[in-house]
Amino acid sequence: MTTVLTAPLRPATTAPALALREVSKTYDGAHTVLDRVSLDVPGGAFIAVLGGGGSGKSTLVHCAAGLDDPTGGEVRIADRRVNGLGEAKRTLLRQGRIGFVFQSFNLLPSLTVEENLAMPLRLAGAADDREWLHHLAERTGVARLLQRRPGDLAPVFQQRAAVARAFASRPDLVVADEPTGALDAYEAAEVLDLMRSLVDEWAPGLLMVTGDPAAASRAHATFALEGARLRPVLTSAL
């Protein structure tokens, strides 16, 4: 019988933002990185997965976000099966339902902050909602920087802009891969508190992978990825 790890949320009325069911990933037919991993990330939950280098964190993110197919098991985003879809359909699903935050920010250097924030809406074919984007910029602390380019900003403001971009399309799921790796401890705490408050307010699911226990402790629930399996570490009430 499969044990599904989940944060302690109010009784769900809809499908989880992310559901992993018995997900495995093996390379070269021998090296198992993920071994029957099951995890729910409900809407309104900030879930952290903690692991060291080579633990499989990036593989977990890639499978969860439809960037790679698992060897076995099932991945669902808001009750839509992801693995097994063709690349074109997976790309459309990512553009409409998933936001990303990376350690290296991944903002487009030739665009202004405002243009970077608008990019997910354009890729998803959504209306260019300036009122929403300006509200989001205010909420994330980058409103006065909208006409600046990423290279002109301090790292913490680049990451705040990246967080804003991740939430711009109102995704079902936000995936964060070592989002504080380029920040100092004070800046990291600011960004993590911001992400948690946005999840609490707008209720997407958020899956973060990190090697930093302090970062993981900011989540609603934390799991450790060890020996290709997940185990619960810390859970807090929402």
Side-chain angles (χ1 to χ4, degrees), residues 120-182:
L121 295 176
R122 294 176 182 173
L123 291 175
D128 193 1
D129 189 341
R130 293 288 164 175
E131 183 177 353
W132 160 245
L133 291 178
H134 280 248
H135 172 68
L136 186 56
E138 289 280 359
R139 188 67 180 77
T140 53
V142 297
R144 63 185 177 84
L145 305 172
L146 287 174
Q147 302 312 312
R148 304 275 292 277
R149 284 183 167 74
D152 298 330
L153 306 183
V156 67
F157 287 106
Q158 290 188 59
Q159 195 60 301
R160 282 176 171 271
V163 169
R165 181 189 57 188
F167 284 83
S169 64
R170 300 178 175 90
D172 296 297
L173 176 70
V174 175
V175 175
D177 189 353
E178 298 281 7
T180 60

Side-chain angles (χ1 to χ4, degrees), residues 49 76 91 95 108-109 120 174-175 190:
V49 173
R76 302 186 79 87
T91 298
Q95 290 172 349
L108 296 175
V174 175
V175 175
E190 279 189 347

Side-chain angles (χ1 to χ4, degrees), residues 21 30 42 66 74 84 103 105 119 121 147 158 166 186 204 207 236:
R21 296 290 181 266
E74 183 178 65
Q103 176 177 341
F105 319 131
M119 186 59 65
L121 295 176
Q147 302 312 312
Q158 290 188 59
Y186 179 80
L207 175 67
S236 65

Side-chain angles (χ1 to χ4, degrees), residues 108-116 119 122 146 148-150:
L108 296 175
S110 62
L111 302 183
T112 65
V113 169
E114 185 172 25
E115 290 166 340
N116 270 280
M119 186 59 65
R122 294 176 182 173
L146 287 174
R148 304 275 292 277
R149 284 183 167 74

